[in-house]
Amino acid sequence: MARTALKVLVGGLSVLVLAATAIGWTTEGRLDKGFTRSAALGVDAPRSLSGDLNVLLIGLDTRKDQYGDDLPKEILDQLHAGDGEEGGYNANTLILVHIPADMKKIVAVSIPRDDYVRVTGIPGYTNVKIKEAYGLKKAAVQDRMISQGVTDSRALERAGREAGRASIVQAVRDLTGVPIDRFGEVTLAGFYDLAKTLGGVEVCLNKPVNDSEYSGADFPAGRQRLNPAQSLAFVRQRHGLENGDLDRTHRQQAFLTSVALDLRKAGTFTDIAKLNALMDVAHRNIVLSDGWNITDFLRTLGTAESPTVEFRTLPVLRYDNINGQDVNIIDPAAIRREVRTAFGDPNPPAVLYNPSRTQTLPTPGPAASSTTPIPDAGKPMDATITGDTIPCVN
């Protein structure tokens, strides 16, 4: 399913660029110029060699806009996601995509958000859930700036988010042991805006669900088209699902598949108003790393002849509870081997990655959850649907 989702999405984005070119978007530079840009990768950071590209996709769970202001109440009500004080700045979705120079096989590695990792540069913390590396660093930098007399809320937000991005990039780089060449960040509202622009999203559920207390998801089994608020609930639900966050990951893949199929439908790219609206959604909700020419990138992808796309989930040793938090206990050395092997380079030169520290975790106390089976522990997920089919998920 995930392989198909990414294939369809790449195809849809490539067609989107061609359509944008047809109406003058890319020739005028409007597509690339409209994105918020970030320097969080750092100019001296390690880079991939021989034309390969590693792209980190960050899904940020925040109820704020790019300036740190609360989203309008009417939107928050539709999101069924609490108010502007809830959710924090957790990086709840982390996907590292490896695109080799020959583009024969693209590999997307999903990083479980509760992986318990070693961190530096976050005052008061040596180990955190990897999703927290963004928000904790952001808060620390803003607190320091406030103590220095900075009062401009937008300046605080800009600096805090840049620090958060640099922190999550470093955490992923240290965990996986590979360079990160580009990144893209999308906010919670981005899912909603995209679904709204497309007039809802078609999904298929294996079983009925009712999660009214948390995500707001309350759907029957079977194929159905969800409105924008329901679409967000669909990708956010994890309570009441057999595999929790893993099932939520599958739903995100199904959402992307449905969106990409909608984009490919006849008429989507000939409707100038809808195309302009899609561009506006992207510009409003996505932050890209400096130097990433998204137009050229998508055009290059469009030239690939049906590359194989494989989706993997990083292995987890067991679930545990540390300091009152449910976490995933991992083996960092095994993860680095897993990633290098998945990326087709089991023995990379030392220059590719120079770890800044040894990933040593505290010894956790005994926990009954330590014997809980771990689903999809790093195994590639099989494609079980065709490129023109909406997958059924839990």
Side-chain angles (χ1 to χ4, degrees):
M1 175 180 64
R3 295 179 187 176
T4 303
L6 286 171
K7 279 187 177 180
V8 174
L9 182 61
V10 166
L13 289 174
S14 299
V15 175
L16 178 60
V17 168
L18 293 176
T21 301
I23 65 170
W25 268 84
T26 56
T27 54
E28 295 176 13
R30 293 169 63 195
L31 177 58
D32 277 283
K33 290 179 180 178
F35 289 103
T36 298
R37 296 288 177 165
S38 167
L41 278 181
V43 294
D44 297 325
R47 294 288 190 267
S48 296
L49 303 178
S50 304
D52 290 354
L53 191 69
N54 294 332
V55 179
L56 178 62
L57 305 179
I58 305 167
L60 194 62
D61 188 10
T62 179
R63 283 72 167 160
K64 307 282 189 179
D65 63 17
Q66 293 290 346
Y67 304 107
D69 297 327
D70 289 352
L71 296 174
K73 184 178 183 302
E74 57 270 23
I75 294 181
L76 288 172
D77 289 344
Q78 288 292 313
L79 297 183
H80 199 93
D83 60 26
E85 299 304 315
E86 296 187 42
Y89 285 84
N90 285 334
N92 277 342
T93 301
L94 292 167
I95 303 174
L96 184 59
V97 183
H98 175 70
I99 305 172
D102 61 15
M103 289 190 291
K104 290 182 178 179
K105 181 181 179 182
I106 298 172
V107 179
V109 176
S110 179
I111 303 170
R113 63 179 190 160
D114 289 339
D115 281 4
Y116 197 59
V117 300
R118 179 88 175 168
V119 294
T120 59
I122 304 177
Y125 296 89
T126 57
N127 295 83
V128 300
K129 296 181 182 183
I130 195 166
K131 68 177 182 182
E132 298 172 324
Y134 190 118
L136 291 174
K137 182 65 174 183
K138 174 182 182 294
V141 167
Q142 289 180 321
D143 286 346
R144 185 182 71 241
M145 292 175 66
I146 291 171
S147 70
Q148 295 170 345
V150 179
T151 58
D152 186 312
S153 62
R154 293 198 172 185
L156 290 167
E157 186 70 14
R158 283 194 301 272
R161 286 205 182 188
E162 276 292 89
R165 291 170 190 133
S167 180
I168 197 68
V169 166
Q170 185 64 48
V172 173
R173 187 186 290 134
D174 286 350
L175 174 65
T176 60
V178 297
I180 296 174
D181 305 294
R182 302 281 188 269
F183 76 81
E185 172 192 297
V186 62
T187 60
L188 185 69
F191 282 99
Y192 176 84
D193 284 344
L194 181 57
K196 183 178 180 181
T197 301
L198 294 175
V201 174
E202 185 177 353
V203 304
C204 179
L205 285 171
N206 292 320
K207 303 174 184 177
V209 296
N210 189 329
D211 186 42
S212 301
E213 183 178 354
Y214 295 100
S215 66
D218 184 5
F219 313 126
R223 196 171 302 278
Q224 55 207 288
R225 192 165 189 89
L226 306 181
N227 66 34
Q230 292 171 327
S231 299
L232 186 66
F234 172 80
V235 297
R236 290 185 64 242
Q237 184 187 359
R238 64 185 176 91
H239 295 280
L241 299 180
E242 182 177 351
N243 295 310
D245 275 336
L246 180 62
D247 282 336
R248 181 161 72 169
T249 297
H250 293 169
R251 287 193 181 191
Q252 291 168 355
Q253 297 158 10
F255 177 93
L256 291 176
T257 302
S258 181
V259 166
L261 289 173
D262 264 3
L263 290 175
R264 289 172 60 185
K265 286 180 180 177
T268 300
F269 297 115
T270 57
D271 185 333
I272 303 303
K274 178 173 285 189
L275 186 58
N276 282 330
L278 287 170
M279 298 295 181
D280 181 62
V281 166
H283 291 160
R284 189 167 62 249
N285 294 290
I286 296 176
V287 176
L288 298 178
S289 54
D290 279 346
W292 189 3
N293 187 310
I294 201 69
T295 304
D296 288 347
F297 171 73
L298 294 176
R299 280 176 175 159
T300 300
L301 283 183
T303 65
E305 296 182 1
S306 299
T308 298
V309 184
E310 181 177 86
F311 195 100
R312 289 174 174 258
T313 301
L314 287 185
V316 172
L317 290 179
R318 65 183 183 276
Y319 302 132
D320 213 317
N321 187 285
I322 297 179
N323 298 326
Q325 283 194 314
D326 293 328
V327 301
N328 300 331
I329 300 300
I330 59 173
D331 180 343
I335 282 177
R336 287 193 285 272
R337 288 194 301 270
E338 169 86 18
V339 171
R340 289 197 298 265
T341 300
F343 288 4
D345 190 5
N347 297 295
V351 70
L352 277 179
Y353 176 67
N354 182 18
S356 58
R357 58 188 173 276
T358 301
Q359 291 265 14
T360 304
L361 296 178
T363 302
S369 60
S370 63
T371 59
T372 303
I374 307 299
D376 282 348
K379 297 180 180 179
M381 296 173 58
D382 292 329
T384 57
I385 60 173
T386 66
D388 296 316
T389 303
I390 303 296
C392 290
V393 294
N394 289 334

